[in-house]
Coordinates of all heavy atoms in Angstrom, one line a residue:
V1199 N -129.9 11.2 -35.7 CA -130.5 9.9 -35.4 C -130.6 9.0 -36.6 O -131.1 9.5 -37.6 CB -131.8 10.1 -34.7 CG1 -132.5 8.8 -34.4 CG2 -131.7 10.9 -33.5
A1200 N -130.3 7.7 -36.5 CA -130.5 6.7 -37.5 C -131.9 6.1 -37.2 O -132.1 5.6 -36.2 CB -129.4 5.7 -37.5
H1201 N -132.8 6.2 -38.2 CA -134.1 5.6 -38.1 C -134.7 5.5 -39.4 O -134.1 5.8 -40.4 CB -135.0 6.4 -37.1 CG -135.8 5.5 -36.2 ND1 -136.7 4.5 -36.7 CD2 -135.9 5.5 -34.9 CE1 -137.2 3.9 -35.7 NE2 -136.8 4.5 -34.5
Y1202 N -136.0 5.0 -39.5 CA -136.6 4.7 -40.8 C -137.4 5.9 -41.3 O -137.6 6.0 -42.5 CB -137.5 3.5 -40.6 CG -136.7 2.3 -40.1 CD1 -136.9 1.8 -38.8 CD2 -135.8 1.6 -40.9 CE1 -136.2 0.7 -38.3 CE2 -135.1 0.6 -40.4 CZ -135.3 0.1 -39.1 OH -134.5 -1.0 -38.7
S1203 N -137.8 6.8 -40.5 CA -138.5 8.0 -40.9 C -138.2 9.1 -39.9 O -137.8 8.9 -38.8 CB -140.0 7.7 -40.9 OG -140.5 7.6 -39.6
A1204 N -138.5 10.3 -40.4 CA -138.3 11.5 -39.5 C -139.2 11.4 -38.3 O -138.7 11.7 -37.2 CB -138.7 12.8 -40.3
A1205 N -140.4 11.0 -38.4 CA -141.3 10.9 -37.2 C -140.7 9.9 -36.2 O -140.8 10.1 -35.0 CB -142.7 10.5 -37.6
E1206 N -140.2 8.7 -36.7 CA -139.7 7.7 -35.8 C -138.4 8.2 -35.2 O -138.1 7.9 -34.0 CB -139.4 6.4 -36.6 CG -140.7 5.7 -37.0 CD -140.5 4.6 -37.9 OE1 -139.8 4.8 -39.0 OE2 -141.0 3.5 -37.7
A1207 N -137.6 9.0 -35.9 CA -136.3 9.5 -35.4 C -136.6 10.5 -34.2 O -136.0 10.4 -33.2 CB -135.5 10.2 -36.5
L1208 N -137.7 11.3 -34.4 CA -138.1 12.3 -33.4 C -138.6 11.5 -32.2 O -138.1 11.8 -31.0 CB -139.2 13.2 -33.9 CG -139.8 14.1 -32.9 CD1 -138.8 15.1 -32.3 CD2 -141.0 14.9 -33.6
A1209 N -139.4 10.5 -32.3 CA -139.9 9.8 -31.2 C -138.8 9.1 -30.5 O -138.8 9.0 -29.2 CB -141.0 8.8 -31.7
Y1210 N -137.9 8.5 -31.2 CA -136.8 7.8 -30.6 C -135.9 8.7 -29.7 O -135.6 8.4 -28.6 CB -135.9 7.1 -31.7 CG -134.8 6.3 -31.2 CD1 -134.9 5.0 -30.8 CD2 -133.5 6.9 -31.1 CE1 -133.8 4.3 -30.3 CE2 -132.4 6.2 -30.7 CZ -132.6 4.9 -30.3 OH -131.5 4.2 -29.8
L1211 N -135.6 9.9 -30.3 CA -134.8 10.8 -29.6 C -135.5 11.3 -28.3 O -134.9 11.4 -27.2 CB -134.4 12.0 -30.4 CG -133.5 13.0 -29.7 CD1 -132.0 12.5 -29.8 CD2 -133.6 14.4 -30.4
C1212 N -136.7 11.6 -28.4 CA -137.5 12.1 -27.3 C -137.6 11.0 -26.2 O -137.4 11.3 -25.0 CB -138.9 12.5 -27.7 SG -138.9 14.0 -28.6
E1213 N -137.7 9.8 -26.6 CA -137.7 8.7 -25.6 C -136.3 8.5 -25.0 O -136.2 8.4 -23.7 CB -138.1 7.4 -26.3 CG -138.2 6.2 -25.4 CD -138.6 4.9 -26.1 OE1 -139.6 4.9 -26.7 OE2 -137.8 4.0 -26.0
Q1214 N -135.3 8.5 -25.7 CA -133.9 8.3 -25.2 C -133.5 9.4 -24.2 O -132.9 9.2 -23.3 CB -132.9 8.3 -26.4 CG -133.1 7.1 -27.3 CD -132.9 5.8 -26.5 OE1 -131.9 5.6 -25.8 NE2 -133.9 4.9 -26.6
Y1215 N -133.9 10.7 -24.5 CA -133.5 11.8 -23.7 C -134.6 12.3 -22.8 O -134.4 13.3 -22.1 CB -133.1 13.0 -24.6 CG -131.8 12.8 -25.3 CD1 -131.4 13.6 -26.4 CD2 -130.8 11.8 -24.9 CE1 -130.2 13.5 -27.0 CE2 -129.6 11.7 -25.6 CZ -129.3 12.5 -26.6 OH -128.1 12.4 -27.3
N1216 N -135.7 11.6 -22.8 CA -136.8 11.9 -21.9 C -137.3 13.3 -22.1 O -137.6 14.0 -21.1 CB -136.4 11.7 -20.4 CG -137.4 11.0 -19.6 OD1 -138.4 10.5 -20.1 ND2 -137.2 11.0 -18.3
Y1217 N -137.4 13.7 -23.3 CA -137.9 15.1 -23.6 C -139.4 15.1 -23.4 O -140.1 14.1 -23.7 CB -137.6 15.4 -25.1 CG -136.2 15.8 -25.4 CD1 -135.7 15.8 -26.7 CD2 -135.3 16.2 -24.4 CE1 -134.4 16.1 -27.0 CE2 -134.0 16.6 -24.7 CZ -133.6 16.5 -26.0 OH -132.3 16.8 -26.2
S1218 N -140.0 16.2 -23.0 CA -141.4 16.4 -22.8 C -142.0 16.7 -24.2 O -141.3 17.1 -25.1 CB -141.7 17.5 -21.8 OG -141.1 18.7 -22.3
D1219 N -143.3 16.5 -24.3 CA -144.0 16.8 -25.6 C -143.8 18.2 -26.0 O -143.9 19.1 -25.2 CB -145.5 16.5 -25.4 CG -145.9 15.1 -25.3 OD1 -145.1 14.2 -25.7 OD2 -147.0 14.8 -24.9
G1220 N -143.5 18.3 -27.3 CA -143.2 19.7 -27.8 C -141.9 20.3 -27.6 O -141.6 21.3 -28.1
E1221 N -141.0 19.6 -26.8 CA -139.7 20.1 -26.6 C -138.9 20.2 -27.9 O -138.1 21.1 -28.1 CB -138.9 19.3 -25.5 CG -137.7 20.0 -25.0 CD -137.2 19.3 -23.7 OE1 -137.9 18.6 -23.0 OE2 -136.0 19.6 -23.4
V1222 N -139.1 19.1 -28.7 CA -138.5 19.1 -30.1 C -139.7 18.6 -31.0 O -140.4 17.7 -30.6 CB -137.3 18.1 -30.2 CG1 -136.8 18.1 -31.6 CG2 -136.3 18.4 -29.2
T1223 N -139.8 19.2 -32.1 CA -141.0 18.9 -33.0 C -140.5 18.4 -34.3 O -139.4 18.4 -34.7 CB -141.8 20.2 -33.3 OG1 -141.0 21.1 -34.1 CG2 -142.2 20.9 -32.0
I1224 N -141.5 17.8 -35.1 CA -141.2 17.3 -36.4 C -140.7 18.4 -37.3 O -139.9 18.1 -38.2 CB -142.5 16.6 -37.0 CG1 -142.1 15.7 -38.2 CG2 -143.6 17.6 -37.3 CD1 -141.3 14.5 -37.9
D1225 N -141.1 19.7 -37.1 CA -140.6 20.8 -37.9 C -139.1 21.0 -37.7 O -138.5 21.7 -38.5 CB -141.4 22.1 -37.6 CG -142.8 22.0 -38.0 OD1 -143.1 21.2 -38.9 OD2 -143.6 22.7 -37.4
E1226 N -138.5 20.4 -36.6 CA -137.1 20.6 -36.4 C -136.4 19.3 -36.7 O -135.2 19.1 -36.3 CB -136.9 20.8 -34.9 CG -137.5 22.1 -34.4 CD -137.5 22.3 -32.9 OE1 -138.4 21.8 -32.2 OE2 -136.5 22.8 -32.4
T1227 N -137.0 18.4 -37.6 CA -136.4 17.2 -37.9 C -136.3 17.1 -39.5 O -137.3 17.4 -40.2 CB -137.3 16.0 -37.4 OG1 -137.5 16.2 -36.0 CG2 -136.7 14.7 -37.7
S1228 N -135.1 16.8 -40.0 CA -134.9 16.7 -41.4 C -133.9 15.7 -41.8 O -133.0 15.3 -41.0 CB -134.5 18.1 -42.0 OG -133.3 18.5 -41.4
A1229 N -134.0 15.2 -43.0 CA -133.0 14.2 -43.5 C -131.7 14.9 -43.6 O -131.5 16.0 -44.0 CB -133.5 13.7 -44.9
V1230 N -130.6 14.1 -43.3 CA -129.3 14.6 -43.4 C -128.8 14.5 -44.8 O -129.0 13.4 -45.5 CB -128.3 13.8 -42.4 CG1 -126.9 14.2 -42.7 CG2 -128.7 14.0 -41.0
S1231 N -128.2 15.5 -45.4 CA -127.8 15.5 -46.8 C -126.6 14.5 -47.0 O -125.9 14.2 -46.1 CB -127.3 16.9 -47.2 OG -126.1 17.2 -46.6
D1232 N -126.5 14.0 -48.2 CA -125.4 13.1 -48.6 C -124.1 13.8 -48.4 O -123.1 13.2 -47.9 CB -125.5 12.7 -50.0 CG -126.5 11.6 -50.3 OD1 -126.9 10.8 -49.3 OD2 -127.0 11.5 -51.4
K1233 N -124.0 15.1 -48.6 CA -122.8 15.9 -48.4 C -122.4 15.8 -47.0 O -121.2 15.6 -46.7 CB -123.0 17.3 -48.9 CG -121.8 18.2 -48.7 CD -122.0 19.6 -49.1 CE -120.8 20.4 -48.8 NZ -121.0 21.9 -49.0
L1234 N -123.3 16.1 -46.0 CA -122.9 16.0 -44.6 C -122.6 14.6 -44.2 O -121.6 14.4 -43.4 CB -124.1 16.5 -43.8 CG -123.8 16.5 -42.3 CD1 -122.6 17.4 -41.9 CD2 -125.0 17.0 -41.5
L1235 N -123.3 13.6 -44.7 CA -123.0 12.2 -44.4 C -121.5 11.8 -44.8 O -120.9 11.0 -44.1 CB -123.9 11.2 -45.1 CG -125.3 11.1 -44.4 CD1 -126.2 10.2 -45.3 CD2 -125.2 10.6 -43.0
D1236 N -121.0 12.4 -45.9 CA -119.7 12.0 -46.4 C -118.6 12.9 -45.9 O -117.4 12.6 -46.2 CB -119.8 12.0 -47.9 CG -120.7 10.9 -48.4 OD1 -120.8 9.9 -47.8 OD2 -121.3 11.1 -49.5
E1237 N -118.9 14.0 -45.2 CA -117.8 14.9 -44.7 C -117.2 14.3 -43.5 O -117.9 13.8 -42.6 CB -118.4 16.3 -44.4 CG -118.7 17.1 -45.6 CD -119.3 18.5 -45.1 OE1 -119.3 18.8 -43.9 OE2 -119.7 19.2 -46.0
P1238 N -115.8 14.4 -43.4 CA -115.2 13.9 -42.2 C -115.7 14.7 -41.0 O -116.0 15.9 -41.1 CB -113.7 14.1 -42.4 CG -113.6 14.2 -43.9 CD -114.9 14.8 -44.4
M1239 N -115.8 14.1 -39.9 CA -116.3 14.8 -38.6 C -115.0 15.3 -37.9 O -113.9 14.8 -38.2 CB -117.1 13.9 -37.8 CG -118.3 13.3 -38.4 SD -119.6 14.5 -38.7 CE -120.1 14.9 -37.1
R1240 N -115.2 16.2 -36.9 CA -114.1 16.6 -36.1 C -114.6 16.6 -34.7 O -115.7 17.0 -34.4 CB -113.7 18.0 -36.5 CG -113.1 18.1 -37.9 CD -112.1 19.3 -38.0 NE -111.6 19.4 -39.3 CZ -110.5 18.7 -39.7 NH1 -109.9 18.0 -38.9 NH2 -110.1 18.8 -41.0
D1241 N -113.7 16.2 -33.8 CA -114.0 16.3 -32.3 C -113.6 17.6 -31.8 O -113.2 18.5 -32.5 CB -113.3 15.1 -31.6 CG -111.8 15.2 -31.5 OD1 -111.2 16.3 -31.9 OD2 -111.2 14.2 -31.2
E1242 N -113.8 17.8 -30.5 CA -113.6 19.1 -29.8 C -112.2 19.6 -29.9 O -111.9 20.8 -29.9 CB -113.9 19.0 -28.3 CG -115.4 18.7 -28.0 CD -115.7 17.2 -28.1 OE1 -114.8 16.4 -28.0 OE2 -116.9 16.9 -28.3
E1243 N -111.2 18.7 -30.1 CA -109.8 19.0 -30.2 C -109.4 19.3 -31.6 O -108.2 19.6 -31.9 CB -108.9 18.0 -29.6 CG -108.9 18.0 -28.1 CD -109.8 16.8 -27.5 OE1 -109.8 15.7 -28.2 OE2 -110.4 16.9 -26.5
G1244 N -110.3 19.1 -32.6 CA -110.0 19.3 -34.0 C -109.5 18.0 -34.7 O -109.1 18.1 -35.9
N1245 N -109.5 16.9 -34.0 CA -109.0 15.7 -34.7 C -110.1 15.2 -35.7 O -111.3 15.3 -35.5 CB -108.9 14.6 -33.6 CG -107.8 14.9 -32.6 OD1 -106.7 15.4 -33.0 ND2 -108.1 14.8 -31.4
T1246 N -109.6 14.7 -36.8 CA -110.5 14.2 -37.9 C -111.0 12.8 -37.5 O -110.3 12.0 -37.1 CB -109.7 14.1 -39.2 OG1 -109.3 15.4 -39.6 CG2 -110.7 13.6 -40.3
L1247 N -112.3 12.7 -37.7 CA -113.0 11.4 -37.4 C -113.7 10.9 -38.7 O -113.9 11.7 -39.6 CB -114.1 11.6 -36.3 CG -113.6 12.2 -35.0 CD1 -114.7 12.5 -34.1 CD2 -112.6 11.2 -34.3
P1248 N -114.1 9.7 -38.7 CA -114.7 9.2 -39.9 C -116.1 9.9 -40.2 O -116.7 10.4 -39.2 CB -115.0 7.7 -39.6 CG -114.1 7.3 -38.5 CD -113.8 8.6 -37.7
P1249 N -116.5 9.9 -41.4 CA -117.8 10.5 -41.7 C -119.0 9.8 -41.1 O -118.9 8.7 -40.7 CB -117.9 10.4 -43.3 CG -116.6 10.1 -43.7 CD -115.8 9.4 -42.6
L1250 N -120.1 10.5 -40.9 CA -121.3 9.9 -40.3 C -121.8 8.7 -41.1 O -122.3 7.8 -40.5 CB -122.4 11.0 -40.3 CG -122.4 12.0 -39.2 CD1 -123.5 13.1 -39.5 CD2 -122.7 11.4 -37.9
R1251 N -121.5 8.7 -42.4 CA -122.0 7.5 -43.2 C -121.4 6.2 -42.7 O -122.1 5.2 -42.7 CB -121.7 7.7 -44.7 CG -122.4 6.7 -45.5 CD -122.2 6.8 -47.0 NE -122.6 8.1 -47.5 CZ -123.9 8.4 -47.9 NH1 -124.8 7.6 -47.7 NH2 -124.1 9.6 -48.4
V1252 N -120.2 6.3 -42.2 CA -119.6 5.0 -41.6 C -120.5 4.5 -40.5 O -120.7 3.3 -40.4 CB -118.2 5.3 -41.1 CG1 -117.6 4.1 -40.4 CG2 -117.3 5.7 -42.3
D1253 N -120.9 5.4 -39.6 CA -121.7 4.9 -38.5 C -123.1 4.5 -38.9 O -123.7 3.6 -38.4 CB -121.8 6.1 -37.4 CG -120.5 6.4 -36.7 OD1 -119.7 5.4 -36.6 OD2 -120.3 7.5 -36.3
L1254 N -123.6 5.2 -39.9 CA -125.0 4.9 -40.4 C -125.0 3.5 -41.1 O -125.8 2.7 -40.8 CB -125.4 6.0 -41.4 CG -126.8 5.7 -42.1 CD1 -127.9 5.6 -41.1 CD2 -127.1 6.8 -43.1
V1255 N -124.0 3.2 -41.9 CA -123.9 1.9 -42.5 C -123.7 0.8 -41.5 O -124.2 -0.3 -41.7 CB -122.7 1.9 -43.6 CG1 -122.4 0.5 -44.1 CG2 -123.1 2.8 -44.7
A1256 N -123.0 1.1 -40.4 CA -122.7 0.1 -39.4 C -123.9 -0.2 -38.5 O -124.0 -1.2 -37.9 CB -121.5 0.5 -38.6
A1257 N -124.8 0.8 -38.5 CA -126.0 0.7 -37.6 C -126.9 -0.5 -38.1 O -127.2 -0.6 -39.2 CB -126.8 2.0 -37.5
T1258 N -127.3 -1.3 -37.1 CA -128.2 -2.4 -37.4 C -129.6 -2.2 -36.8 O -130.5 -3.0 -37.0 CB -127.7 -3.7 -37.0 OG1 -127.4 -3.7 -35.5 CG2 -126.4 -4.1 -37.7
A1259 N -129.7 -1.1 -36.0 CA -131.0 -0.7 -35.3 C -131.0 0.8 -35.2 O -129.9 1.4 -35.2 CB -131.1 -1.5 -34.0
P1260 N -132.1 1.4 -34.9 CA -132.2 2.8 -34.7 C -131.2 3.2 -33.6 O -131.0 2.4 -32.6 CB -133.6 3.0 -34.2 CG -134.4 2.0 -35.0 CD -133.5 0.8 -34.9
A1261 N -130.5 4.4 -33.7 CA -129.5 4.8 -32.8 C -129.3 6.3 -32.9 O -129.5 6.9 -34.0 CB -128.2 4.0 -33.1
I1262 N -128.7 6.9 -31.9 CA -128.2 8.2 -32.0 C -126.8 8.2 -32.5 O -125.9 7.5 -31.9 CB -128.3 8.9 -30.6 CG1 -129.7 9.0 -30.1 CG2 -127.6 10.3 -30.7 CD1 -129.9 9.5 -28.7
L1263 N -126.6 8.7 -33.7 CA -125.3 8.7 -34.4 C -124.3 9.7 -33.9 O -123.1 9.5 -33.8 CB -125.5 8.8 -35.9 CG -126.3 7.8 -36.6 CD1 -126.4 8.1 -38.1 CD2 -125.6 6.4 -36.5
H1264 N -124.9 10.9 -33.6 CA -124.0 12.0 -33.2 C -124.8 13.0 -32.4 O -126.0 13.2 -32.7 CB -123.4 12.7 -34.4 CG -122.4 13.6 -34.1 ND1 -121.1 13.3 -33.7 CD2 -122.4 15.0 -34.2 CE1 -120.4 14.4 -33.6 NE2 -121.1 15.4 -33.9
S1265 N -124.2 13.6 -31.4 CA -124.8 14.6 -30.5 C -123.8 15.6 -30.1 O -122.6 15.2 -29.8 CB -125.4 13.9 -29.3 OG -126.1 14.8 -28.5
W1266 N -124.1 16.9 -30.2 CA -123.2 17.9 -29.8 C -123.9 19.0 -29.1 O -125.1 19.1 -29.2 CB -122.4 18.4 -30.9 CG -123.2 19.1 -32.0 CD1 -123.4 20.5 -32.1 CD2 -123.9 18.5 -33.1 NE1 -124.2 20.7 -33.1 CE2 -124.5 19.6 -33.8 CE3 -124.1 17.2 -33.5 CZ2 -125.3 19.3 -34.9 CZ3 -124.8 17.0 -34.6 CH2 -125.4 18.0 -35.3
E1267 N -123.2 19.9 -28.4 CA -123.9 21.0 -27.7 C -123.5 22.3 -28.3 O -122.6 22.5 -29.0 CB -123.5 21.0 -26.2 CG -124.0 19.7 -25.6 CD -124.1 19.8 -24.1 OE1 -124.3 20.9 -23.6 OE2 -124.1 18.8 -23.5

Side-chain angles (χ1 to χ4, degrees):
V1199 176
H1201 221 303
Y1202 305 108
S1203 71
E1206 290 170 308
L1208 173 61
Y1210 181 83
L1211 183 79
C1212 289
E1213 180 180 305
Q1214 294 298 308
Y1215 288 164
N1216 221 10
Y1217 286 160
S1218 58
D1219 286 345
E1221 194 167 340
V1222 182
T1223 68
I1224 195 68
D1225 292 336
E1226 299 171 271
T1227 305
S1228 61
V1230 174
S1231 69
D1232 285 333
K1233 180 181 178 189
L1234 180 59
L1235 282 174
D1236 293 328
E1237 287 180 5
M1239 301 293 290
R1240 296 206 181 271
D1241 65 14
E1242 296 84 21
E1243 289 104 32
N1245 299 312
T1246 301
L1247 303 172
L1250 279 172
R1251 190 176 304 277
V1252 172
D1253 294 330
L1254 178 61
V1255 169
T1258 58
I1262 297 171
L1263 297 178
H1264 189 73
S1265 185
W1266 65 94
E1267 298 203 23

